[in-house]
Amino acid sequence: MFAPLITALQASVLLLLALAGDAWLSLRAARRGRFAGPGAQIRRLIQRLDRRLNRLDLPDSERFLRGAALALILPALAFSLGVLLIGVLAPLRFGWLLEGLLLAPCLALRQPWERVRQVGHALSRRDLATARSEAQPLTFRATAGLDPHAVARIALEALAKTFHQDLVTPVFWFLLAGLPAVLAWTVLNGIDAIIGHRGPRHIRFGQGAAVLSSLASRPSAWLAAALLAAAAACLKGTRPRAAWTLACADSGQHRSASGGWPEAALAGALGVSLSGPWLDGGVTVDAPWIGGAGRARIGPADIRRALALYGVAGLLLVLLAGLGAGLGAGVWGLCWRLAGLA
């Protein structure tokens, strides 16, 4: 009778434990001057495989096949490892708590929040050089020479992206298929981060990873946009209706089919415009603006509001995860009872 309630409570506690673990890892990393977690190790592995497999003397078709195989095999291995870990933890009385400790490095709530906060503090002090330096790890674009508004836009774009890819998507896959799916997504996301962008070197080698990552994160992109709109309804000075309206209207203009949803929602909630044209090696990339007629001159105050939205949306995600786990347990219990009656 009380199984759904217990399952919901366990899911909420597990996610809170994982987020607390993420905060602890972030604090340790900040003291050491670097970020911790499996993401960095995965990216280093992908960089080594990229240098070995993505040879420019190979035909485009072979480079595409090699990249697609990489994007399929490594997540499959991660999923298999997750299944093995679940098999080990399942018989243990508090195995679900240990599962939370394993889940923690796959989530990112504190790390991007802290990085974006540092960008905002530097801009508040009019220290543009430090703001550019803090913003550089958040983007593949070069931040040297950017004005303060462009640096602030990069910070907000990164906040929307990490909320979607490093928080909402792992939680979504955890509720859907457990720890194995989270590990597979973490690896796929790391592959996409290294080879999925459309530079000359990776336009063919990373095409498969980009498509797979976009497909795997599409449902969670809608959820991330809805959570940001709901968070806007909880805060003063933000626009919840515009957040969802712009997410539906402008998401298709973004270079990423799934990434446009949370970025457009954040832009709509704050009344700003994100993305837009940018320089790539001295060449102007004519990307569309995301956010309708919102302001492109973004400052530290907008970053502070975005951080507040990010925090509230993260809390709503934990509450929603507990509710979803309880509802799912109730549905499964009803199915089992009906099957027994039959």
Side-chain angles (χ1 to χ4, degrees):
M1 178 178 178
F2 296 102
L5 177 61
I6 295 174
T7 305
L9 179 61
Q10 285 182 343
S12 298
V13 170
L14 193 150
L15 287 173
L16 287 173
L17 178 65
L19 292 174
D22 166 65
W24 178 76
L25 289 173
S26 302
L27 182 60
R28 264 188 88 188
R31 289 176 177 175
R32 295 180 179 182
R34 59 180 177 84
F35 286 122
Q41 285 75 16
I42 291 170
R43 284 170 171 80
R44 281 195 288 268
L45 172 62
I46 301 307
Q47 287 170 345
R48 288 197 295 269
L49 293 173
D50 177 35
R51 289 191 294 268
R52 176 166 299 196
L53 299 175
N54 187 19
R55 288 165 31 204
L56 299 181
D57 60 324
L58 294 174
D60 284 350
S61 58
E62 184 172 347
R63 293 169 65 197
F64 168 77
L65 290 175
R66 288 185 173 203
L70 182 68
L72 287 170
I73 293 173
L74 289 186
L77 291 175
F79 187 90
S80 301
L81 175 62
V83 172
L84 179 63
L85 291 172
I86 290 298
V88 172
L89 295 176
L92 302 179
R93 182 178 180 183
F94 295 103
W96 63 277
L97 288 175
L98 297 176
E99 186 179 353
L101 296 177
L102 294 173
L103 181 64
C106 300
L107 302 180
L109 179 66
R110 175 72 183 181
Q111 291 180 6
W113 187 90
E114 182 62 29
R115 176 70 71 177
V116 172
R117 187 178 71 91
Q118 292 298 332
V119 174
H121 281 180
L123 291 175
S124 297
R125 301 192 307 267
R126 300 181 183 273
D127 186 353
L128 183 56
T130 301
R132 290 170 177 166
S133 176
E134 293 287 349
Q136 187 58 73
L138 299 174
T139 181
F140 62 90
R141 293 179 253 168
T143 58
L146 294 182
D147 62 39
H149 308 298
V151 173
R153 285 197 298 273
I154 283 177
L156 295 194
E157 291 164 13
L159 198 66
K161 180 180 179 180
T162 54
F163 176 69
H164 167 221
Q165 294 187 346
D166 297 336
L167 187 61
V168 178
T169 304
V171 171
F172 173 83
W173 282 111
F174 173 73
L175 293 176
L176 198 65
L179 182 64
V182 176
L183 296 179
W185 164 252
T186 301
V187 172
L188 179 59
N189 190 32
I191 296 173
D192 181 47
I194 299 300
I195 68 173
H197 55 83
R198 297 180 181 179
R201 177 176 173 81
H202 298 111
I203 191 169
R204 294 295 291 164
F205 185 71
Q207 188 175 8
V211 171
L212 286 174
S213 176
S214 179
L215 291 174
S217 62
R218 183 69 61 84
S220 58
W222 304 329
L223 176 59
L227 287 168
L228 288 169
C234 302
L235 297 173
K236 292 183 179 180
T238 51
R239 311 184 307 168
R241 182 176 297 180
W244 183 250
T245 300
L246 280 173
C248 297
D250 285 10
S251 59
Q253 303 181 52
H254 197 270
R255 60 185 176 274
S256 168
S258 58
W261 282 85
E263 186 171 314
L266 182 63
L270 300 177
V272 301
S273 288
L274 300 175
S275 193
W278 53 280
L279 290 176
D280 184 10
V283 178
T284 300
V285 178
D286 191 19
W289 290 99
I290 304 296
R295 292 178 292 106
R297 298 176 67 85
I298 299 172
D302 297 303
I303 292 179
R304 287 192 292 271
R305 290 194 298 151
L307 291 171
L309 271 174
Y310 181 81
V312 173
L315 177 61
L316 292 176
L317 176 63
V318 174
L319 296 176
L320 183 63
L323 179 63
L327 181 62
V331 171
W332 277 109
L334 180 60
C335 290
W336 278 110
R337 288 183 183 182
L338 291 176
L341 291 175

